[in-house]
Amino acid sequence: MAKVCHSCGKGPAFGNSRSHSMVATKRRFDPNLQKVRVLVGAAPRRVYVCTRCLKAGKVTKAV
């Protein structure tokens, strides 16, 4: 599954997990992606869109 938003292109961010002793291990912060039917051009397609774009109305959902 592509971890990238179809609307804004937001993808995973990377950082460190810190334990109690401050030992750093790599981790990734995945965006909250939802699979929705979106009008792309004239045809509806199922694409992954982040919840920020859904809430802001940046995509038109197909009915």
Side-chain angles (χ1 to χ4, degrees):
M1 161 175 138
K3 302 273 187 184
V4 178
C5 176
H6 181 264
S7 176
C8 65
K10 180 189 284 188
F14 296 91
N16 289 315
S17 287
R18 292 291 181 158
S19 67
H20 181 68
S21 62
M22 292 299 286
V23 174
T25 55
K26 289 290 187 182
R27 63 158 297 180
R28 61 189 270 162
F29 297 90
D30 288 324
N32 189 359
L33 297 178
Q34 305 296 319
K35 196 168 191 179
V36 292
R37 289 183 68 217
V38 174
L39 285 176
V40 178
R45 271 181 49 196
R46 287 200 195 281
V47 294
Y48 289 102
V49 180
C50 68
T51 53
R52 184 178 287 189
C53 290
L54 284 174
K55 189 174 180 181
K58 292 184 180 179
V59 292
T60 55
K61 291 176 79 172
V63 180

